[in-house]
Structures are given as C-alpha cells and as structure tokens.
Amino acid sequence: MNLDLFDHPDFHPHWREELAPGAVVLRGGALKDDTALLAEINRIAGLVPFQYRATPGGYAMSVAMTNCGDVGWVTDRQGYRYQATSPENQQPWPAMPALFRSLAVDAADQAGFPDFQPDACLINRYQPGAKMSLHQDKDEHDFAAPIVSVSLGLPAIFQFGGMERSDKTQRVALTHGDIVVWGGPSRLRYHGILPLKAGEHPLTGQYRFNLTFRTAGSQA
C-alpha cells in the first residue's frame, strides 16, 4: 500500500480490523459525521464544561471529561460511579444527541451487537502528554452490552490487553474517525491510551476527543 495516500485530504479509509473475539476496529466509521460530532461536543461542553477529575486515591487525571446522556461517569475521593447530575452544578447532564446515539447503535450492530441501547456517553479530551492508564470498564450494572469508543482529532495509541492487568497488550494506532467496539468475551479486557503525542489536527487543533458509549443500567 502506498502510505502517501494517508496524507491525501480526500483519502477516507474504511475497513474492519479484528482485535479479539468480540472486539473490532471500524476504521473511518465516524468520518462522514466528524464535523457534526465535534459541533455537538462543543455544544455539550458549553453547557457542562470539561473538568479534570481526581481518582479515589487523590491523583488528578490528565484527561478532561464531561458527559451526556441519562447518566454520566464521574470519579472523586468517594469512588468511580455513574450519576444523573453533574457534580459541579447538580443539574442533569445534557441529553445524548440523536447523532451520537445512532452512530453508537450502528457501530455496535456492525460489530455483532444488535439492540445496543447506550444511556451514557463519556466525552474525554486529551492534549499532548495526556494518557489513560490500563483499566477495565466495570462500573456498569451488567456487562451484556458492549463498549463503543469513537476517536476524533489527533491520533493515539490504544492499548488493548487481557483479563488481567499484567497480560500482554496490543498497541493499536487510532486515527480521526476510527471506532472501537468490544463486548462479549472481550467486554472486561484491560485497555488504555498511551501519552498523546503533540500535533495539529485541522478540525480539533492540539486535541483528541473520545466518545465512549456505555449502557450503565439501573444502578445509576
């Protein structure tokens, strides 16, 4: 393959990359909606601004966060959890945009998980140096539904491991518009993002945005 093609502004790759049973990358799956998705992110952040939250251990996260949907994921000294209101203003999170929901449902269906009904969308904003340590998504009520993760902006290296933190990880390069879906036997695999490298994206500047769709369930 001629790698110079990737630098062409009209090159939009679309292909499916299997990572593990129940885990797939849908390359370029969000490209056609990228401008509209970013507009919605800006609108949501105008209502509930991005925050740098602390872990239960008191460490400040390098990734800024906000949420939309019925519930949002938060972390502080009291622990990791979903709740229906923003900790800053005690108001409900903005409703999940129809575009967000349809993109997530379609991606899950393509990955073999029909009838996905996300009720939470965590929006992460990365700047150069920001990272997400290896972790499991296990604060949801049950694990029947998959995770759908949409990448926008600067490229990143996604780490996809096993069921134990010490398991060997795959390093998967994610670029603007890629969607990762994992569920079924891969639902509780450890995953993370290596420190973001500096760069400039024509739509997001020096940032990477990540939309993570989940079904939090009745515990919220």
Side-chain angles (χ1 to χ4, degrees):
M1 179 180 291
N2 182 358
L3 295 181
D4 290 339
L5 285 174
F6 287 96
D7 295 325
H8 193 282
D10 295 326
F11 179 72
H12 298 305
H14 292 79
W15 74 89
R16 179 189 181 99
E17 182 178 326
E18 305 289 339
L19 297 180
V24 62
V25 183
L26 303 174
R27 297 289 185 182
L31 279 175
K32 65 181 178 62
D33 296 314
D34 60 357
T35 302
L37 291 168
L38 289 166
E40 289 287 16
I41 291 172
N42 288 334
R43 183 184 64 81
I44 291 165
L47 298 171
V48 183
F50 283 100
Q51 301 287 334
Y52 291 97
R53 302 199 179 281
T55 68
Y59 295 100
M61 299 188 71
S62 62
V63 176
M65 301 178 173
T66 188
N67 289 273
C68 65
D70 296 340
V71 292
W73 187 86
V74 299
T75 174
D76 55 25
R77 289 298 187 101
Q78 281 67 55
Y80 306 117
R81 64 191 181 278
Y82 288 96
Q83 61 183 53
T85 58
S86 165
E88 283 67 46
N89 61 18
Q90 307 305 315
Q91 296 298 309
W93 301 103
M96 187 183 300
L99 175 60
F100 280 25
R101 185 180 301 278
S102 63
L103 178 67
V105 169
D106 182 62
D109 186 59
Q110 290 183 55
F113 300 99
D115 303 319
F116 180 48
Q117 296 296 325
D119 57 9
C121 176
L122 172 63
I123 306 172
N124 289 329
R125 186 186 68 192
Y126 292 77
Q127 59 189 33
K131 65 179 182 178
M132 188 69 69
S133 299
L134 284 174
H135 65 282
Q136 295 170 299
D137 287 355
K138 59 181 182 180
D139 299 314
E140 297 72 35
H141 182 64
D142 66 58
F143 308 128
I147 305 296
V148 175
S149 176
V150 179
S151 292
L152 297 166
L154 289 179
I157 300 298
F158 177 63
Q159 293 181 290
F160 195 63
M163 296 300 179
E164 302 293 335
R165 188 185 299 274
S166 59
D167 288 346
K168 183 178 180 180
T169 61
Q170 302 178 57
R171 292 190 174 190
V172 184
L174 296 179
T175 58
H176 178 72
D178 289 342
I179 304 175
V180 186
V181 183
W182 64 97
S186 289
R187 174 61 178 75
L188 289 176
R189 283 179 177 255
Y190 278 85
H191 57 281
I193 294 289
L194 291 179
L196 193 72
K197 292 185 177 181
E200 186 80 19
H201 190 275
L203 294 181
T204 67
Q206 298 181 0
Y207 292 111
R208 171 184 185 258
F209 294 95
N210 174 244
L211 306 175
T212 302
F213 296 92
R214 306 177 178 123
T215 301
S218 59
Q219 74 164 23

